[in-house]
């Protein structure tokens, strides 16, 4: 399967189908395999594994994990497949990184598909509480290894990773947040945006409402009987929500 080299860090990706490119990013401690149920129904899907996840590399250097490096990996995948622009989408951390990608490379995003995601925090105390949970996850991975994922949500419990250290470093470097630049970006987003959230994904319902209110022209779909991994919990309803949005994109 194809890989790109990013300063010695190998990044794994897959290309499925044809048509307009859609780059999909998985959630924290999941992998690109979480999208395999959707590839036949969507556009030309570009799937990939973030650093420290799945079939990508797990560098030992803590500085090899960051928001900036992650969005750079996404741009490099587009370069590798010859896509100047793409629909940029993701779930949870992958959705946050999709917003961060738009902030870094606005000219390369044709549209945004933001799934079961929060846009970060304006207030320092809320961000610090989030970061404390992310760091606790990293510490638990260091102590318990990959066994800790067995009690996680379905898409994480079934994910295949080579070691826990990369996931712990990713939690510290990529899941933690350092500023409010992504949430402050929302009113300036100028591409079509679809926000999808599971009705039972309580922690992200308010965040989805907030993004829908702040992003100009954003559409929002709430999918019944679905939790955090909405595309896995209700695959048909997810496709039914996303397909019209993709088909109606301008140009």
């Amino acid at each position: 399967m194809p890989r790109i080299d990013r300063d010695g860090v190998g990044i794994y990706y897959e290309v499925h189908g044809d048509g307009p490119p859609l780059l999909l990013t998985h959630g924290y401690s999941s992998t690109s395999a979480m999208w395999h149920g959707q590839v036949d129904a969507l556009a030309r899907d570009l799937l990939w594994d973030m650093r420290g996840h799945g079939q990508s590399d797990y560098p030992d250097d803590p500085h090899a994990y960051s928001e900036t490096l992650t969005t750079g990996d996404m741009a490099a995948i587009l370069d590798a497949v010859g896509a100047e622009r793409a629909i940029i989408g993701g779930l949870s951390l992958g959705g946050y990184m999709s917003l961060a990608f738009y902030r870094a490379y606005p000219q390369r995003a044709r549209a945004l598909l933001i799934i079961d995601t929060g846009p970060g925090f304006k207030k320092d105390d809320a961000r610090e509480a989030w970061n404390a949970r992310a760091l606790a996850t990293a510490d638990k991975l260091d102590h318990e290894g990959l066994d800790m994922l067995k009690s996680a949500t379905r898409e994480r419990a079934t994910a295949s990773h080579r070691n826990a250290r990369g996931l712990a470093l990713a939690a510290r470097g990529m899941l933690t947040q350092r500023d409010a630049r992504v949430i402050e970006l929302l009113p300036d987003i100028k591409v079509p945006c679809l926000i999808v959230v599971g009705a039972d994904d309580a922690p992200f319902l308010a965040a989805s409402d907030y993004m829908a209110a702040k992003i100009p022209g954003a559409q929002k779909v709430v999918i019944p009987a679905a939790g955090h991994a909405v595309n896995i919990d209700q695959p048909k309803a997810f496709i039914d929500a996303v397909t019209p949005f993709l088909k109606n994109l301008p140009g």
Side-chain angles (χ1 to χ4, degrees):
M1 278 296 189
R3 289 166 71 86
I4 52 172
D5 184 297
R6 292 267 294 147
D7 296 324
V9 178
I11 303 296
Y12 169 88
Y13 70 97
E14 304 173 2
V15 181
H16 299 267
D18 51 28
L22 165 62
L23 178 64
L24 285 171
T25 303
H26 59 81
Y28 173 74
S29 72
S30 187
T31 71
S32 54
M34 72 166 293
W35 303 112
H36 283 169
Q38 281 73 54
V39 290
D40 291 339
L42 297 175
R44 180 185 175 207
D45 299 306
L46 312 175
L47 313 180
W48 71 295
D49 290 340
M50 287 192 276
R51 295 162 178 253
H53 291 71
Q55 298 180 71
S56 286
D57 283 354
Y58 297 56
D60 288 327
D61 180 2
H63 296 105
Y65 300 83
S66 70
E67 178 183 309
T68 299
L69 287 168
T70 304
T71 56
D73 293 342
M74 296 162 73
I77 291 168
L78 297 189
D79 292 342
V81 301
E84 185 58 38
R85 298 173 77 220
I87 303 152
I88 307 295
L91 182 139
S92 199
L93 177 60
Y96 178 85
M97 289 297 182
S98 298
L99 293 168
F101 178 91
Y102 181 86
R103 199 184 73 78
Y105 306 95
Q107 73 284 1
R108 303 202 68 176
R110 185 174 164 223
L112 292 170
L113 176 58
I114 307 299
I115 308 156
D116 291 293
T117 295
F121 305 92
K122 282 194 169 177
K123 294 181 178 176
D124 292 344
D125 56 347
R127 188 180 313 109
E128 285 163 11
W130 170 271
N131 288 349
R133 291 193 295 275
L135 295 173
T137 296
D139 291 344
K140 198 169 180 188
L141 279 160
D142 283 339
H143 290 117
E144 298 179 22
L146 294 175
D147 284 347
M148 81 156 274
L149 295 180
K150 290 177 180 173
S151 60
T153 53
R154 187 165 30 152
E155 84 282 2
R156 295 167 64 196
T158 57
S160 178
H161 304 287
R162 289 204 297 279
N163 65 58
R165 176 167 167 75
L167 286 178
L169 290 170
R172 294 186 178 104
M174 291 154 55
L175 192 59
T176 57
Q177 298 178 12
R178 284 151 187 79
D179 53 52
R181 290 186 298 180
V182 168
I183 194 169
E184 289 171 349
L185 159 86
L186 301 180
D188 300 322
I189 291 176
K190 294 180 170 61
V191 296
C193 181
L194 176 65
I195 296 153
V196 181
V197 65
D200 300 332
D201 191 11
F204 291 93
L205 291 172
S208 297
D209 288 342
Y210 183 88
M211 289 187 289
K214 291 290 184 181
I215 298 173
Q219 303 171 46
K220 187 188 76 167
V221 177
V222 179
I223 295 187
H228 191 52
V230 64
N231 65 307
I232 294 173
D233 292 345
Q234 295 293 343
K236 183 180 185 302
F238 176 77
I239 290 296
D240 289 346
V242 172
T243 303
F245 173 75
L246 298 179
K247 282 184 175 171
N248 292 322
L249 288 175

